[in-house]
Amino acid sequence: MNAFPPERIVCLTEETVETLCLLGEEDRIVGVSGYAVRPKQVRKEKPRVAAFTSADIPKILALEPDLVLTFSDLQADIAATLLREGVAVMGYNQRDIAGILAMIRHLGAMVGQGRRAGFLADQYEQRLAEAAAKTEGRPRPCVYFEEWDEPMITAIGWVSELIGIAGGQEAFSEIAGKAKALDRIVTYEQVIAAAPDVILASWCGKKVRPEKIAARPGWDAIPAVRNGRIHEIKSPLILQPGPAALTDGLDAILAALSSRTIEA
């Protein structure tokens, strides 16, 4: 029978690692994703057992977890394999800010820290509300967010919402709610037509090249390119639907919207 609260947890994405650590429950974590970098010590202290769409199943099983935390349909096959091995799996699928806050509260409840998780989520909600209030009534620059470059994939739900909270208008907010990345592909021509004032980019796993973005055919007509307002936001800060996005991720967007210098 699986323990409750679970005593041996494997986290296959970064945001659940950070959440458990913020709740003071890092000792329950026995394995992590290779992408987990928050807090920094997890890379040294916890065995790495997975990438994102692949996992070392024998290594996970050897850790004897009583709970494995997964994220999205992209880890569905991993989850199914573990379930067939008799491992308890919780699959999260948060795609917006409300979902992130719900994940924090739910995970906290599962490890016996419901009250502390509720307090943490309430703090984030208050911080977001305060940030939004500071930008209310100001001109809202159009912002194109690029999650990937080939093909060009634009902002997912929580990123689009954070851009709005930071005082911007996300260029393709009408498709931000699409769960699948392939449903958020945009073309050169669509971005040119949107005429963003600011371009934010976060290419998971590789460094953003602002000069390559600026050199795309026809993009010299885009205000963000003409004015040198192309900024990288590191993927661990913004592409993980958890505490990082609501704190350092939001701060990075706020800094980019207030800056007028191109980043090399």
Side-chain angles (χ1 to χ4, degrees):
M1 180 179 289
N2 292 307
F4 185 83
E7 297 173 356
R8 300 182 62 80
I9 301 175
V10 170
C11 302
L12 298 188
T13 53
E14 305 93 304
E15 65 280 352
T16 50
V17 173
E18 183 173 15
T19 300
L20 286 170
C21 290
L22 287 168
L23 295 175
E25 296 295 332
E26 60 271 18
D27 288 347
R28 296 183 189 272
I29 302 171
V30 296
V32 299
S33 159
Y35 291 106
V37 295
R38 294 171 64 98
K40 290 181 179 180
Q41 64 265 27
V42 299
R43 292 186 68 83
K44 297 179 180 178
E45 297 177 357
K46 307 294 182 180
R48 286 174 271 176
V49 298
F52 185 66
T53 57
S54 62
D56 188 331
I57 300 298
K59 193 171 184 178
I60 293 173
L61 295 176
L63 293 171
E64 300 183 343
D66 45 37
L67 179 64
V68 175
L69 302 175
T70 69
F71 173 72
S72 87
D73 57 302
L74 294 176
Q75 294 190 332
D77 290 343
I78 299 171
T81 300
L82 291 168
L83 286 166
R84 292 189 190 102
E85 294 289 341
V87 178
V89 176
M90 176 63 215
Y92 288 110
N93 206 23
Q94 66 275 16
R95 305 294 178 136
D96 54 21
I97 290 174
I100 293 173
L101 295 170
M103 178 276 291
I104 292 169
R105 291 186 171 103
H106 184 270
L107 182 53
M110 281 205 301
V111 297
Q113 289 285 3
R115 186 171 181 178
R116 188 168 179 177
F119 178 70
L120 184 64
D122 289 347
Q123 282 186 309
Y124 290 146
E125 282 189 299
Q126 182 178 350
R127 188 177 192 274
L128 294 172
E130 290 172 353
K134 289 179 181 178
T135 62
E136 190 173 351
R138 297 180 185 176
R140 303 180 73 82
C142 179
V143 180
Y144 166 57
F145 183 93
E146 189 167 285
E147 182 180 307
W148 193 246
D149 61 331
E150 295 176 345
M152 296 191 310
I153 299 172
T154 191
I156 197 168
W158 72 83
V159 177
S160 181
E161 289 179 295
L162 288 172
I163 288 170
I165 288 169
Q169 174 58 53
E170 198 263 302
F172 298 101
S173 57
E174 69 279 3
I175 60 173
K178 303 287 187 180
K180 294 181 179 179
L182 293 180
D183 293 332
R184 290 182 280 111
I185 291 175
V186 294
T187 65
Y188 282 10
E189 292 74 21
Q190 285 176 302
V191 179
I192 293 169
D197 301 295
V198 181
I199 293 174
L200 305 179
S202 186
W203 301 342
C204 189
K206 65 178 180 179
K207 181 175 174 58
V208 171
R209 300 288 298 276
E211 70 280 6
K212 282 195 170 185
I213 294 175
R216 291 171 181 168
W219 281 38
D220 54 345
I222 295 175
V225 175
R226 288 202 312 265
N227 298 322
R229 301 192 69 184
I230 304 174
H231 303 274
E232 177 180 17
I233 296 181
K234 300 297 184 183
S235 56
L237 302 185
I238 194 63
L239 295 185
Q240 313 313 322
L246 305 185
T247 55
D248 294 345
L250 174 60
D251 288 346
I253 296 173
L254 286 165
L257 296 192
S258 66
S259 173
R260 295 186 177 275
T261 304
I262 191 166
E263 293 189 356

